[in-house]
Amino acid sequence: MVVLSQHDHFPYLRNCRGTNNLLYGIPLIDLSQPDSKQLIVKACEDFGFFKVINHGVPMDFIRRLESEAVKFFSLPLSEKEKAGPPNPFGYGNKKIGQHGDIGWVEYLLLTTNSEFISERFKSVFGGDPEKLRFALDDYILAVKKMACEILELMAEGLKIQPRNVLSKLLMDEQSDSVFRLNHYPPCPEVGGGNVIGFGEHTDPQIISVLRSNNTSGLQISLRDGSWISVPPDQDSFFINVGDSLQVMTNSRFQSVKHRVLANGLQSRVSMIYFGGPPLCEKIAPLPCLMKGEESLYKEFTWFEYKKSAFKTRLSDNRLGHFEKIAAS
């Protein structure tokens, strides 16, 4: 268990809607099994979310990066703020985005460019940010490889060619992927109800790969709008369908709405890789999946979507601007 010092001066946050606390069967997929591609497709159709085991990411990479994250978040606030503000990359706390969203969280939002990481953290680590940089490089490379494997299994399960039609967008040198480290300190206000750590939202990219320490808090929304808690598992990864993948499958897969609730006793550290396409990539339903269907979305570039998404709040329907409205 990772326990960090409590964050100073967090505002009290509003209680959120009720939660279904029943243990729910989150899809579990063993990537080493031959039926994994069919199970991935079904999980994306039913939940937009699943858990993977036998993922191939070395545990040493996971533990080393978590250790470096804990060291960073344990620093005095004045030191951490040297890596900020998040504009868009860097250190932030409480404020999420530019439009009034707040949470019981502090975070690092990073480009996957290791040179940026070195420059941003020189002032924090006395000119020697290499341990963090190397830990990030190793982890991101391994998780990116896993994400591409999952996207290729997904393509096989959908019977689309070529097999790398999705994964090549992450492998492209111009891929606009980002990485996030979140720390949710213990929250003394939890006894009075649910407190928002990170508000409900969907992820804009193609695919998100999440790993956290062994502390609860993550919840996903089911199709009926009810919320279920995701049991933590520090040795496995959770996969989210992103908005872009929803569009590319013409809503066959749906981007999962999720949130994090604060924990009253334990700190939670999460690490998320957001696999995004190049900025100039056109996002639209894949023709091979249409089978005579009408596209539900206008074609747009990833840059256009990002520009639009930055103007919204967390809980907004970011895809609404790009949906085709049926003629009345």
Side-chain angles (χ1 to χ4, degrees), residues 6 49 64 128 145 174 277 284:
Q6 186 172 321
F49 182 86
R64 190 150 47 94
D128 184 24
K145 180 181 177 182
Q174 301 301 315

Side-chain angles (χ1 to χ4, degrees), residues 11 24 41 48 51 69 77 88 94 122 128 157-158 168 202 218 224 241-242 256 321:
Y24 206 93
V41 169
K51 172 179 171 179
L77 182 60
K94 309 177 209 175
K122 278 182 180 178
D128 184 24
L158 290 169
K168 68 181 181 181
T202 60
L218 176 65
D224 64 5
V241 169
V256 63
H321 181 68

Side-chain angles (χ1 to χ4, degrees), residues 26-33 35-37 39-41 43-44 48-57 59 62 139 142-143 145-151 153-154 207-212 230-241:
I26 301 296
L28 172 63
I29 297 172
D30 184 339
L31 293 182
S32 68
Q33 295 301 309
D35 64 349
S36 60
K37 53 183 176 288
L39 294 177
I40 287 172
V41 169
C44 290
F49 182 86
F50 54 94
K51 172 179 171 179
V52 295
I53 58 174
N54 287 324
H55 44 71
V57 178
M59 292 307 298
I62 297 171
Y139 181 89
V143 169
K145 180 181 177 182
M146 176 184 63
C148 288
E149 178 188 353
I150 289 170
L151 289 173
L153 289 169
M154 192 181 291
I207 190 172
S208 305
V209 181
L210 164 71
R211 184 265 171 196
S212 68
V230 178
D233 183 344
Q234 61 187 354
D235 298 324
S236 302
F237 288 90
F238 293 96
I239 310 299
N240 289 7
V241 169

Side-chain angles (χ1 to χ4, degrees), residues 20-304:
N20 177 358
N21 286 315
L22 296 175
L23 184 63
Y24 206 93
I26 301 296
L28 172 63
I29 297 172
D30 184 339
L31 293 182
S32 68
Q33 295 301 309
D35 64 349
S36 60
K37 53 183 176 288
Q38 290 88 7
L39 294 177
I40 287 172
V41 169
K42 181 167 176 51
C44 290
E45 291 174 337
D46 294 347
F47 287 84
F49 182 86
F50 54 94
K51 172 179 171 179
V52 295
I53 58 174
N54 287 324
H55 44 71
V57 178
M59 292 307 298
D60 178 60
F61 289 4
I62 297 171
R63 295 191 179 104
R64 190 150 47 94
L65 180 55
E66 183 179 277
S67 175
E68 291 302 312
V70 168
K71 287 178 187 176
F72 175 81
F73 289 125
S74 297
L75 291 171
L77 182 60
S78 59
E79 291 298 305
K80 290 181 285 193
E81 286 180 335
K82 292 178 181 178
N87 187 29
F89 301 112
Y91 171 78
N93 66 53
K94 309 177 209 175
K95 292 178 59 178
I96 303 170
Q98 306 299 316
H99 302 285
D101 288 295
I102 57 174
W104 194 273
V105 64
E106 60 178 340
Y107 59 90
L108 283 172
L109 185 60
L110 305 168
T111 171
T112 53
N113 183 311
S114 61
E115 294 302 321
F116 167 87
I117 293 167
S118 288
E119 287 300 316
R120 179 58 63 102
F121 291 99
K122 278 182 180 178
S123 59
V124 181
F125 294 109
D128 184 24
E130 297 307 300
K131 287 185 70 175
L132 176 62
R133 174 186 170 181
F134 291 149
L136 281 164
D137 282 351
D138 288 343
Y139 181 89
I140 290 171
L141 186 62
V143 169
K144 176 181 176 181
K145 180 181 177 182
M146 176 184 63
C148 288
E149 178 188 353
I150 289 170
L151 289 173
E152 290 177 3
L153 289 169
M154 192 181 291
E156 287 185 12
L158 290 169
K159 297 181 171 56
I160 57 179
Q161 293 292 336
R163 185 175 188 263
N164 71 340
V165 66
L166 299 171
S167 64
K168 68 181 181 181
L169 302 177
L170 273 59
M171 295 301 296
D172 193 296
E173 288 185 0
Q174 301 301 315
S175 170
D176 184 43
S177 298
V178 297
F179 188 73
R180 188 178 190 107
L181 292 166
N182 288 332
H183 170 227
Y184 303 90
C187 177
E189 302 290 350
V190 165
N194 292 325
V195 176
I196 296 172
F198 206 108
E200 60 184 80
H201 64 286
T202 60
D203 294 337
Q205 292 85 357
I206 296 170
I207 190 172
S208 305
V209 181
L210 164 71
R211 184 265 171 196
S212 68
N213 65 339
N214 207 27
T215 301
S216 62
L218 176 65
Q219 297 187 329
I220 64 169
S221 178
L222 301 181
R223 297 290 184 255
D224 64 5
S226 63
W227 290 92
I228 61 166
S229 296
V230 178
D233 183 344
Q234 61 187 354
D235 298 324
S236 302
F237 288 90
F238 293 96
I239 310 299
N240 289 7
V241 169
D243 293 346
S244 296
L245 186 56
Q246 175 173 321
V247 173
M248 295 173 81
T249 60
N250 206 34
S251 284
R252 179 171 173 179
F253 297 170
Q254 293 210 350
S255 184
V256 63
K257 185 171 285 190
H258 53 289
R259 68 186 183 190
V260 176
L261 301 184
N263 189 289
L265 299 175
Q266 299 172 330
S267 61
R268 183 173 184 269
V269 175
S270 62
M271 311 186 291
I272 313 103
Y273 168 80
F274 300 97
L279 289 172
C280 62
E281 184 70 26
K282 292 181 179 179
I283 308 296
L286 296 170
C288 55
L289 292 179
M290 297 300 287
K291 298 180 181 177
E293 296 177 9
E294 289 293 322
S295 172
L296 300 177
Y297 301 95
K298 307 169 190 175
E299 183 178 270
F300 54 89
T301 65
W302 172 237
F303 174 78
E304 289 170 335

